[in-house]
PDB file of all heavy atoms in Angstrom:
ATOM      1  N   LYS A  21    -169.506 -34.334  89.179  1.00  0.00           N
ATOM      2  CA  LYS A  21    -168.504 -35.148  89.902  1.00  0.00           C
ATOM      3  C   LYS A  21    -167.166 -34.471  89.932  1.00  0.00           C
ATOM      4  O   LYS A  21    -166.407 -34.538  91.034  1.00  0.00           O
ATOM      5  CB  LYS A  21    -168.400 -36.511  89.289  1.00  0.00           C
ATOM      6  CG  LYS A  21    -169.625 -37.361  89.384  1.00  0.00           C
ATOM      7  CD  LYS A  21    -169.333 -38.748  88.704  1.00  0.00           C
ATOM      8  CE  LYS A  21    -170.586 -39.365  88.259  1.00  0.00           C
ATOM      9  NZ  LYS A  21    -170.393 -40.593  87.465  1.00  0.00           N
ATOM     10  N   ARG A  22    -166.810 -33.950  88.969  1.00  0.00           N
ATOM     11  CA  ARG A  22    -165.389 -33.380  88.789  1.00  0.00           C
ATOM     12  C   ARG A  22    -165.499 -31.890  88.263  1.00  0.00           C
ATOM     13  O   ARG A  22    -164.565 -31.505  87.625  1.00  0.00           O
ATOM     14  CB  ARG A  22    -164.611 -34.237  87.775  1.00  0.00           C
ATOM     15  CG  ARG A  22    -164.400 -35.669  88.243  1.00  0.00           C
ATOM     16  CD  ARG A  22    -163.456 -36.461  87.283  1.00  0.00           C
ATOM     17  NE  ARG A  22    -164.064 -36.566  85.987  1.00  0.00           N
ATOM     18  CZ  ARG A  22    -164.889 -37.608  85.682  1.00  0.00           C
ATOM     19  NH1 ARG A  22    -165.289 -38.437  86.525  1.00  0.00           N
ATOM     20  NH2 ARG A  22    -165.333 -37.613  84.371  1.00  0.00           N
ATOM     21  N   GLY A  23    -166.599 -31.248  88.533  1.00  0.00           N
ATOM     22  CA  GLY A  23    -166.777 -30.000  87.954  1.00  0.00           C
ATOM     23  C   GLY A  23    -166.092 -28.737  88.651  1.00  0.00           C
ATOM     24  O   GLY A  23    -166.155 -27.639  88.209  1.00  0.00           O
ATOM     25  N   ARG A  24    -165.646 -29.058  89.936  1.00  0.00           N
ATOM     26  CA  ARG A  24    -165.130 -27.940  90.782  1.00  0.00           C
ATOM     27  C   ARG A  24    -164.107 -27.003  89.944  1.00  0.00           C
ATOM     28  O   ARG A  24    -164.212 -25.728  90.060  1.00  0.00           O
ATOM     29  CB  ARG A  24    -164.594 -28.392  92.036  1.00  0.00           C
ATOM     30  CG  ARG A  24    -163.938 -27.228  92.911  1.00  0.00           C
ATOM     31  CD  ARG A  24    -164.865 -26.951  93.934  1.00  0.00           C
ATOM     32  NE  ARG A  24    -164.332 -25.795  94.687  1.00  0.00           N
ATOM     33  CZ  ARG A  24    -165.089 -25.114  95.466  1.00  0.00           C
ATOM     34  NH1 ARG A  24    -166.355 -25.279  95.678  1.00  0.00           N
ATOM     35  NH2 ARG A  24    -164.547 -23.975  96.146  1.00  0.00           N
ATOM     36  N   PRO A  25    -163.289 -27.525  89.204  1.00  0.00           N
ATOM     37  CA  PRO A  25    -162.267 -26.660  88.494  1.00  0.00           C
ATOM     38  C   PRO A  25    -162.871 -25.598  87.592  1.00  0.00           C
ATOM     39  O   PRO A  25    -162.227 -24.639  87.347  1.00  0.00           O
ATOM     40  CB  PRO A  25    -161.423 -27.643  87.734  1.00  0.00           C
ATOM     41  CG  PRO A  25    -161.428 -28.887  88.548  1.00  0.00           C
ATOM     42  CD  PRO A  25    -162.973 -28.968  88.982  1.00  0.00           C
ATOM     43  N   ILE A  26    -164.196 -25.742  87.070  1.00  0.00           N
ATOM     44  CA  ILE A  26    -164.667 -24.712  86.205  1.00  0.00           C
ATOM     45  C   ILE A  26    -164.946 -23.516  86.984  1.00  0.00           C
ATOM     46  O   ILE A  26    -165.238 -22.441  86.442  1.00  0.00           O
ATOM     47  CB  ILE A  26    -165.907 -25.216  85.440  1.00  0.00           C
ATOM     48  CG1 ILE A  26    -167.039 -25.577  86.357  1.00  0.00           C
ATOM     49  CG2 ILE A  26    -165.537 -26.371  84.445  1.00  0.00           C
ATOM     50  CD1 ILE A  26    -168.371 -25.592  85.650  1.00  0.00           C
ATOM     51  N   ALA A  27    -165.047 -23.570  88.409  1.00  0.00           N
ATOM     52  CA  ALA A  27    -165.308 -22.366  89.121  1.00  0.00           C
ATOM     53  C   ALA A  27    -164.072 -21.622  89.584  1.00  0.00           C
ATOM     54  O   ALA A  27    -164.160 -20.617  90.252  1.00  0.00           O
ATOM     55  CB  ALA A  27    -166.129 -22.866  90.346  1.00  0.00           C
ATOM     56  N   ARG A  28    -162.931 -22.155  89.243  1.00  0.00           N
ATOM     57  CA  ARG A  28    -161.691 -21.590  89.641  1.00  0.00           C
ATOM     58  C   ARG A  28    -161.379 -20.303  88.721  1.00  0.00           C
ATOM     59  O   ARG A  28    -161.767 -20.210  87.639  1.00  0.00           O
ATOM     60  CB  ARG A  28    -160.474 -22.529  89.494  1.00  0.00           C
ATOM     61  CG  ARG A  28    -160.552 -23.731  90.383  1.00  0.00           C
ATOM     62  CD  ARG A  28    -159.336 -24.538  90.301  1.00  0.00           C
ATOM     63  NE  ARG A  28    -159.361 -25.665  91.193  1.00  0.00           N
ATOM     64  CZ  ARG A  28    -158.851 -26.817  91.005  1.00  0.00           C
ATOM     65  NH1 ARG A  28    -158.176 -27.091  89.819  1.00  0.00           N
ATOM     66  NH2 ARG A  28    -159.039 -27.822  91.800  1.00  0.00           N
ATOM     67  N   LYS A  29    -160.820 -19.295  89.438  1.00  0.00           N
ATOM     68  CA  LYS A  29    -160.411 -18.002  88.807  1.00  0.00           C
ATOM     69  C   LYS A  29    -159.465 -18.301  87.558  1.00  0.00           C
ATOM     70  O   LYS A  29    -159.495 -17.563  86.685  1.00  0.00           O
ATOM     71  CB  LYS A  29    -159.832 -17.155  89.839  1.00  0.00           C
ATOM     72  CG  LYS A  29    -160.838 -16.565  90.749  1.00  0.00           C
ATOM     73  CD  LYS A  29    -160.094 -15.611  91.698  1.00  0.00           C
ATOM     74  CE  LYS A  29    -161.116 -15.044  92.732  1.00  0.00           C
ATOM     75  NZ  LYS A  29    -160.434 -14.209  93.673  1.00  0.00           N
ATOM     76  N   SER A  30    -158.565 -19.294  87.852  1.00  0.00           N
ATOM     77  CA  SER A  30    -157.606 -19.582  86.683  1.00  0.00           C
ATOM     78  C   SER A  30    -158.329 -19.980  85.457  1.00  0.00           C
ATOM     79  O   SER A  30    -157.870 -19.663  84.323  1.00  0.00           O
ATOM     80  CB  SER A  30    -156.608 -20.705  87.200  1.00  0.00           C
ATOM     81  OG  SER A  30    -157.249 -21.837  87.396  1.00  0.00           O
ATOM     82  N   PHE A  31    -159.461 -20.727  85.550  1.00  0.00           N
ATOM     83  CA  PHE A  31    -160.277 -21.060  84.387  1.00  0.00           C
ATOM     84  C   PHE A  31    -161.061 -19.931  83.856  1.00  0.00           C
ATOM     85  O   PHE A  31    -161.005 -19.513  82.731  1.00  0.00           O
ATOM     86  CB  PHE A  31    -161.097 -22.331  84.634  1.00  0.00           C
ATOM     87  CG  PHE A  31    -162.047 -22.666  83.505  1.00  0.00           C
ATOM     88  CD1 PHE A  31    -161.574 -23.033  82.268  1.00  0.00           C
ATOM     89  CD2 PHE A  31    -163.400 -22.492  83.668  1.00  0.00           C
ATOM     90  CE1 PHE A  31    -162.406 -23.328  81.217  1.00  0.00           C
ATOM     91  CE2 PHE A  31    -164.250 -22.766  82.556  1.00  0.00           C
ATOM     92  CZ  PHE A  31    -163.746 -23.189  81.356  1.00  0.00           C
ATOM     93  N   LEU A  32    -161.931 -19.318  84.668  1.00  0.00           N
ATOM     94  CA  LEU A  32    -162.828 -18.286  84.482  1.00  0.00           C
ATOM     95  C   LEU A  32    -162.135 -17.047  83.985  1.00  0.00           C
ATOM     96  O   LEU A  32    -162.682 -16.252  83.223  1.00  0.00           O
ATOM     97  CB  LEU A  32    -163.760 -18.026  85.588  1.00  0.00           C
ATOM     98  CG  LEU A  32    -164.683 -19.224  85.994  1.00  0.00           C
ATOM     99  CD1 LEU A  32    -165.434 -18.918  87.156  1.00  0.00           C
ATOM    100  CD2 LEU A  32    -165.566 -19.543  84.913  1.00  0.00           C
ATOM    101  N   GLY A  33    -160.907 -16.761  84.486  1.00  0.00           N
ATOM    102  CA  GLY A  33    -160.139 -15.582  84.071  1.00  0.00           C
ATOM    103  C   GLY A  33    -159.850 -15.533  82.658  1.00  0.00           C
ATOM    104  O   GLY A  33    -159.509 -14.376  82.122  1.00  0.00           O
ATOM    105  N   GLN A  34    -159.833 -16.615  81.942  1.00  0.00           N
ATOM    106  CA  GLN A  34    -159.573 -16.598  80.487  1.00  0.00           C
ATOM    107  C   GLN A  34    -160.572 -15.873  79.635  1.00  0.00           C
ATOM    108  O   GLN A  34    -160.213 -15.400  78.569  1.00  0.00           O
ATOM    109  CB  GLN A  34    -159.585 -18.048  79.941  1.00  0.00           C
ATOM    110  CG  GLN A  34    -158.557 -18.902  80.540  1.00  0.00           C
ATOM    111  CD  GLN A  34    -158.642 -20.364  80.002  1.00  0.00           C
ATOM    112  OE1 GLN A  34    -158.076 -20.651  78.958  1.00  0.00           O
ATOM    113  NE2 GLN A  34    -159.534 -21.198  80.598  1.00  0.00           N
ATOM    114  N   TYR A  35    -161.716 -15.614  80.228  1.00  0.00           N
ATOM    115  CA  TYR A  35    -162.772 -14.895  79.449  1.00  0.00           C
ATOM    116  C   TYR A  35    -162.779 -13.399  79.623  1.00  0.00           C
ATOM    117  O   TYR A  35    -163.363 -12.715  78.870  1.00  0.00           O
ATOM    118  CB  TYR A  35    -164.216 -15.416  79.964  1.00  0.00           C
ATOM    119  CG  TYR A  35    -164.342 -16.994  79.714  1.00  0.00           C
ATOM    120  CD1 TYR A  35    -164.158 -17.847  80.752  1.00  0.00           C
ATOM    121  CD2 TYR A  35    -164.783 -17.283  78.419  1.00  0.00           C
ATOM    122  CE1 TYR A  35    -164.383 -19.292  80.365  1.00  0.00           C
ATOM    123  CE2 TYR A  35    -164.942 -18.662  78.084  1.00  0.00           C
ATOM    124  CZ  TYR A  35    -164.610 -19.558  79.110  1.00  0.00           C
ATOM    125  OH  TYR A  35    -164.784 -20.886  78.904  1.00  0.00           O
ATOM    126  N   LYS A  36    -162.022 -12.887  80.670  1.00  0.00           N
ATOM    127  CA  LYS A  36    -161.898 -11.467  80.928  1.00  0.00           C
ATOM    128  C   LYS A  36    -161.392 -10.830  79.692  1.00  0.00           C
ATOM    129  O   LYS A  36    -160.493 -11.175  79.037  1.00  0.00           O
ATOM    130  CB  LYS A  36    -161.037 -11.157  82.090  1.00  0.00           C
ATOM    131  CG  LYS A  36    -161.135  -9.766  82.478  1.00  0.00           C
ATOM    132  CD  LYS A  36    -160.230  -9.432  83.722  1.00  0.00           C
ATOM    133  CE  LYS A  36    -160.284  -7.978  84.088  1.00  0.00           C
ATOM    134  NZ  LYS A  36    -159.819  -7.654  85.338  1.00  0.00           N
ATOM    135  N   GLY A  37    -162.142  -9.715  79.244  1.00  0.00           N
ATOM    136  CA  GLY A  37    -161.832  -8.941  78.030  1.00  0.00           C
ATOM    137  C   GLY A  37    -162.305  -9.482  76.768  1.00  0.00           C
ATOM    138  O   GLY A  37    -162.274  -8.752  75.742  1.00  0.00           O
ATOM    139  N   LYS A  38    -162.887 -10.652  76.846  1.00  0.00           N
ATOM    140  CA  LYS A  38    -163.358 -11.240  75.517  1.00  0.00           C
ATOM    141  C   LYS A  38    -164.650 -10.451  75.129  1.00  0.00           C
ATOM    142  O   LYS A  38    -165.338  -9.976  75.899  1.00  0.00           O
ATOM    143  CB  LYS A  38    -163.788 -12.701  75.738  1.00  0.00           C
ATOM    144  CG  LYS A  38    -162.477 -13.675  76.099  1.00  0.00           C
ATOM    145  CD  LYS A  38    -161.754 -13.943  74.944  1.00  0.00           C
ATOM    146  CE  LYS A  38    -160.590 -15.035  75.267  1.00  0.00           C
ATOM    147  NZ  LYS A  38    -159.721 -15.229  74.244  1.00  0.00           N
ATOM    148  N   ASN A  39    -164.815 -10.399  73.821  1.00  0.00           N
ATOM    149  CA  ASN A  39    -166.082  -9.791  73.258  1.00  0.00           C
ATOM    150  C   ASN A  39    -166.551 -10.637  71.998  1.00  0.00           C
ATOM    151  O   ASN A  39    -166.056 -11.669  71.785  1.00  0.00           O
ATOM    152  CB  ASN A  39    -165.751  -8.351  72.930  1.00  0.00           C
ATOM    153  CG  ASN A  39    -164.647  -8.171  71.894  1.00  0.00           C
ATOM    154  OD1 ASN A  39    -164.560  -8.979  70.920  1.00  0.00           O
ATOM    155  ND2 ASN A  39    -163.813  -7.076  72.057  1.00  0.00           N
ATOM    156  N   SER A  40    -167.508 -10.005  71.349  1.00  0.00           N
ATOM    157  CA  SER A  40    -168.040 -10.756  70.190  1.00  0.00           C
ATOM    158  C   SER A  40    -167.116 -11.050  69.104  1.00  0.00           C
ATOM    159  O   SER A  40    -167.358 -11.966  68.223  1.00  0.00           O
ATOM    160  CB  SER A  40    -169.348 -10.049  69.731  1.00  0.00           C
ATOM    161  OG  SER A  40    -168.906  -8.813  69.258  1.00  0.00           O
ATOM    162  N   LYS A  41    -166.035 -10.338  68.996  1.00  0.00           N
ATOM    163  CA  LYS A  41    -165.098 -10.501  68.021  1.00  0.00           C
ATOM    164  C   LYS A  41    -164.005 -11.553  68.384  1.00  0.00           C
ATOM    165  O   LYS A  41    -163.116 -11.942  67.564  1.00  0.00           O
ATOM    166  CB  LYS A  41    -164.359  -9.134  67.579  1.00  0.00           C
ATOM    167  CG  LYS A  41    -165.429  -8.240  66.988  1.00  0.00           C
ATOM    168  CD  LYS A  41    -164.910  -7.035  66.502  1.00  0.00           C
ATOM    169  CE  LYS A  41    -165.952  -6.160  65.914  1.00  0.00           C
ATOM    170  NZ  LYS A  41    -165.851  -4.809  65.861  1.00  0.00           N
ATOM    171  N   SER A  42    -163.959 -11.844  69.672  1.00  0.00           N
ATOM    172  CA  SER A  42    -162.880 -12.771  70.174  1.00  0.00           C
ATOM    173  C   SER A  42    -163.304 -14.205  69.817  1.00  0.00           C
ATOM    174  O   SER A  42    -164.307 -14.627  69.816  1.00  0.00           O
ATOM    175  CB  SER A  42    -162.869 -12.663  71.684  1.00  0.00           C
ATOM    176  OG  SER A  42    -162.625 -11.301  72.173  1.00  0.00           O
ATOM    177  N   GLU A  43    -162.190 -14.834  69.547  1.00  0.00           N
ATOM    178  CA  GLU A  43    -162.299 -16.364  69.333  1.00  0.00           C
ATOM    179  C   GLU A  43    -162.470 -17.001  70.592  1.00  0.00           C
ATOM    180  O   GLU A  43    -161.705 -16.782  71.627  1.00  0.00           O
ATOM    181  CB  GLU A  43    -161.008 -16.848  68.583  1.00  0.00           C
ATOM    182  CG  GLU A  43    -160.909 -16.481  67.131  1.00  0.00           C
ATOM    183  CD  GLU A  43    -162.005 -16.894  66.345  1.00  0.00           C
ATOM    184  OE1 GLU A  43    -162.448 -18.143  66.423  1.00  0.00           O
ATOM    185  OE2 GLU A  43    -162.344 -16.283  65.395  1.00  0.00           O
ATOM    186  N   MET A  44    -163.410 -17.874  70.810  1.00  0.00           N
ATOM    187  CA  MET A  44    -163.583 -18.591  72.037  1.00  0.00           C
ATOM    188  C   MET A  44    -164.009 -20.057  71.734  1.00  0.00           C
ATOM    189  O   MET A  44    -165.068 -20.447  71.795  1.00  0.00           O
ATOM    190  CB  MET A  44    -164.716 -17.974  72.974  1.00  0.00           C
ATOM    191  CG  MET A  44    -164.358 -16.678  73.613  1.00  0.00           C
ATOM    192  SD  MET A  44    -165.613 -16.186  74.781  1.00  0.00           S
ATOM    193  CE  MET A  44    -166.645 -15.272  73.620  1.00  0.00           C
ATOM    194  N   THR A  45    -162.922 -20.869  71.528  1.00  0.00           N
ATOM    195  CA  THR A  45    -163.076 -22.220  71.371  1.00  0.00           C
ATOM    196  C   THR A  45    -162.324 -23.031  72.385  1.00  0.00           C
ATOM    197  O   THR A  45    -161.059 -22.875  72.481  1.00  0.00           O
ATOM    198  CB  THR A  45    -162.603 -22.611  69.862  1.00  0.00           C
ATOM    199  OG1 THR A  45    -163.248 -21.807  68.856  1.00  0.00           O
ATOM    200  CG2 THR A  45    -162.802 -24.135  69.538  1.00  0.00           C
ATOM    201  N   VAL A  46    -162.948 -23.941  72.971  1.00  0.00           N
ATOM    202  CA  VAL A  46    -162.240 -24.750  74.059  1.00  0.00           C
ATOM    203  C   VAL A  46    -161.351 -25.674  73.291  1.00  0.00           C
ATOM    204  O   VAL A  46    -161.568 -26.352  72.329  1.00  0.00           O
ATOM    205  CB  VAL A  46    -163.309 -25.648  74.869  1.00  0.00           C
ATOM    206  CG1 VAL A  46    -162.645 -26.489  75.854  1.00  0.00           C
ATOM    207  CG2 VAL A  46    -164.204 -24.660  75.598  1.00  0.00           C
ATOM    208  N   GLY A  47    -160.046 -25.680  73.812  1.00  0.00           N
ATOM    209  CA  GLY A  47    -159.020 -26.493  73.241  1.00  0.00           C
ATOM    210  C   GLY A  47    -158.160 -25.742  72.302  1.00  0.00           C
ATOM    211  O   GLY A  47    -157.116 -26.185  71.856  1.00  0.00           O
ATOM    212  N   LYS A  48    -158.579 -24.479  72.012  1.00  0.00           N
ATOM    213  CA  LYS A  48    -157.962 -23.556  71.020  1.00  0.00           C
ATOM    214  C   LYS A  48    -157.622 -22.311  71.601  1.00  0.00           C
ATOM    215  O   LYS A  48    -156.355 -22.077  71.999  1.00  0.00           O
ATOM    216  CB  LYS A  48    -158.673 -23.464  69.719  1.00  0.00           C
ATOM    217  CG  LYS A  48    -157.977 -22.775  68.658  1.00  0.00           C
ATOM    218  CD  LYS A  48    -158.893 -22.843  67.313  1.00  0.00           C
ATOM    219  CE  LYS A  48    -158.115 -22.124  66.245  1.00  0.00           C
ATOM    220  NZ  LYS A  48    -159.056 -21.823  65.038  1.00  0.00           N
ATOM    221  N   ASP A  49    -158.644 -21.589  71.883  1.00  0.00           N
ATOM    222  CA  ASP A  49    -158.481 -20.146  72.557  1.00  0.00           C
ATOM    223  C   ASP A  49    -158.707 -20.226  74.082  1.00  0.00           C
ATOM    224  O   ASP A  49    -158.283 -19.363  74.672  1.00  0.00           O
ATOM    225  CB  ASP A  49    -159.361 -19.229  71.859  1.00  0.00           C
ATOM    226  CG  ASP A  49    -159.497 -19.329  70.394  1.00  0.00           C
ATOM    227  OD1 ASP A  49    -158.551 -19.050  69.733  1.00  0.00           O
ATOM    228  OD2 ASP A  49    -160.580 -19.828  69.914  1.00  0.00           O
ATOM    229  N   ILE A  50    -159.457 -21.207  74.491  1.00  0.00           N
ATOM    230  CA  ILE A  50    -159.753 -21.389  75.881  1.00  0.00           C
ATOM    231  C   ILE A  50    -159.222 -22.747  76.278  1.00  0.00           C
ATOM    232  O   ILE A  50    -159.509 -23.736  75.609  1.00  0.00           O
ATOM    233  CB  ILE A  50    -161.355 -21.353  76.121  1.00  0.00           C
ATOM    234  CG1 ILE A  50    -161.870 -19.982  75.690  1.00  0.00           C
ATOM    235  CG2 ILE A  50    -161.610 -21.717  77.590  1.00  0.00           C
ATOM    236  CD1 ILE A  50    -161.494 -18.757  76.485  1.00  0.00           C
ATOM    237  N   THR A  51    -158.380 -22.773  77.339  1.00  0.00           N
ATOM    238  CA  THR A  51    -157.861 -24.005  77.956  1.00  0.00           C
ATOM    239  C   THR A  51    -158.936 -24.681  78.725  1.00  0.00           C
ATOM    240  O   THR A  51    -159.409 -24.069  79.758  1.00  0.00           O
ATOM    241  CB  THR A  51    -156.625 -23.801  78.672  1.00  0.00           C
ATOM    242  OG1 THR A  51    -155.616 -23.094  77.948  1.00  0.00           O
ATOM    243  CG2 THR A  51    -156.046 -25.163  79.269  1.00  0.00           C
ATOM    244  N   GLY A  52    -159.515 -25.822  78.211  1.00  0.00           N
ATOM    245  CA  GLY A  52    -160.526 -26.498  79.034  1.00  0.00           C
ATOM    246  C   GLY A  52    -159.938 -27.219  80.221  1.00  0.00           C
ATOM    247  O   GLY A  52    -158.754 -27.296  80.424  1.00  0.00           O
ATOM    248  N   ILE A  53    -160.912 -27.652  81.031  1.00  0.00           N
ATOM    249  CA  ILE A  53    -160.556 -28.454  82.191  1.00  0.00           C
ATOM    250  C   ILE A  53    -160.562 -29.916  81.833  1.00  0.00           C
ATOM    251  O   ILE A  53    -161.601 -30.432  81.368  1.00  0.00           O
ATOM    252  CB  ILE A  53    -161.594 -28.249  83.297  1.00  0.00           C
ATOM    253  CG1 ILE A  53    -161.655 -26.777  83.718  1.00  0.00           C
ATOM    254  CG2 ILE A  53    -161.204 -29.056  84.608  1.00  0.00           C
ATOM    255  CD1 ILE A  53    -160.412 -26.120  84.252  1.00  0.00           C
ATOM    256  N   SER A  54    -159.454 -30.689  82.072  1.00  0.00           N
ATOM    257  CA  SER A  54    -159.493 -32.005  81.867  1.00  0.00           C
ATOM    258  C   SER A  54    -160.336 -32.791  82.721  1.00  0.00           C
ATOM    259  O   SER A  54    -160.445 -32.573  83.942  1.00  0.00           O
ATOM    260  CB  SER A  54    -157.957 -32.649  82.098  1.00  0.00           C
ATOM    261  OG  SER A  54    -157.854 -33.912  81.819  1.00  0.00           O
ATOM    262  N   GLY A  55    -161.178 -33.644  82.018  1.00  0.00           N
ATOM    263  CA  GLY A  55    -162.295 -34.374  82.791  1.00  0.00           C
ATOM    264  C   GLY A  55    -163.508 -33.593  82.886  1.00  0.00           C
ATOM    265  O   GLY A  55    -164.538 -34.267  83.399  1.00  0.00           O
ATOM    266  N   ALA A  56    -163.532 -32.431  82.413  1.00  0.00           N
ATOM    267  CA  ALA A  56    -164.762 -31.539  82.563  1.00  0.00           C
ATOM    268  C   ALA A  56    -165.024 -30.718  81.190  1.00  0.00           C
ATOM    269  O   ALA A  56    -165.229 -29.615  81.103  1.00  0.00           O
ATOM    270  CB  ALA A  56    -164.709 -30.669  83.648  1.00  0.00           C
ATOM    271  N   THR A  57    -164.730 -31.436  80.034  1.00  0.00           N
ATOM    272  CA  THR A  57    -164.845 -30.777  78.726  1.00  0.00           C
ATOM    273  C   THR A  57    -166.207 -30.313  78.547  1.00  0.00           C
ATOM    274  O   THR A  57    -166.410 -29.231  77.969  1.00  0.00           O
ATOM    275  CB  THR A  57    -164.459 -31.796  77.669  1.00  0.00           C
ATOM    276  OG1 THR A  57    -163.118 -32.314  78.003  1.00  0.00           O
ATOM    277  CG2 THR A  57    -164.443 -31.247  76.285  1.00  0.00           C
ATOM    278  N   ILE A  58    -167.250 -31.077  78.842  1.00  0.00           N
ATOM    279  CA  ILE A  58    -168.656 -30.605  78.594  1.00  0.00           C
ATOM    280  C   ILE A  58    -168.931 -29.327  79.334  1.00  0.00           C
ATOM    281  O   ILE A  58    -169.477 -28.349  78.827  1.00  0.00           O
ATOM    282  CB  ILE A  58    -169.620 -31.814  78.969  1.00  0.00           C
ATOM    283  CG1 ILE A  58    -169.446 -32.834  77.944  1.00  0.00           C
ATOM    284  CG2 ILE A  58    -171.023 -31.140  79.074  1.00  0.00           C
ATOM    285  CD1 ILE A  58    -170.353 -34.084  78.240  1.00  0.00           C
ATOM    286  N   SER A  59    -168.501 -29.299  80.597  1.00  0.00           N
ATOM    287  CA  SER A  59    -168.693 -28.051  81.385  1.00  0.00           C
ATOM    288  C   SER A  59    -167.860 -26.930  80.926  1.00  0.00           C
ATOM    289  O   SER A  59    -168.222 -25.829  80.917  1.00  0.00           O
ATOM    290  CB  SER A  59    -168.383 -28.305  82.845  1.00  0.00           C
ATOM    291  OG  SER A  59    -169.295 -29.411  83.351  1.00  0.00           O
ATOM    292  N   SER A  60    -166.629 -27.218  80.394  1.00  0.00           N
ATOM    293  CA  SER A  60    -165.828 -26.098  79.832  1.00  0.00           C
ATOM    294  C   SER A  60    -166.463 -25.532  78.552  1.00  0.00           C
ATOM    295  O   SER A  60    -166.574 -24.283  78.536  1.00  0.00           O
ATOM    296  CB  SER A  60    -164.508 -26.708  79.418  1.00  0.00           C
ATOM    297  OG  SER A  60    -163.757 -27.188  80.553  1.00  0.00           O
TER     298      SER A  60
END
């Protein structure tokens, strides 16, 4: 219903350069999408 923001470059661009040693936690290292936490 409200998932479109997860397809935006501003959200997906946060992952660029990440690797197995990178921290990737929504709300900490990754800014999640308000209203789409599960999809984030």
Side-chain angles (χ1 to χ4, degrees):
K21 293 179 198 174
R22 298 180 297 272
R24 178 104 186 159
I26 65 161
R28 290 186 184 148
K29 289 181 184 178
S30 58
F31 172 68
L32 297 173
Q34 298 179 88
Y35 298 98
K36 186 173 183 174
K38 300 280 188 188
N39 60 37
S40 60
K41 294 179 179 159
S42 302
E43 292 293 326
M44 284 189 278
T45 305
V46 174
K48 189 175 177 186
D49 317 292
I50 300 294
T51 303
I53 302 295
S54 179
T57 304
I58 288 174
S59 296
S60 299

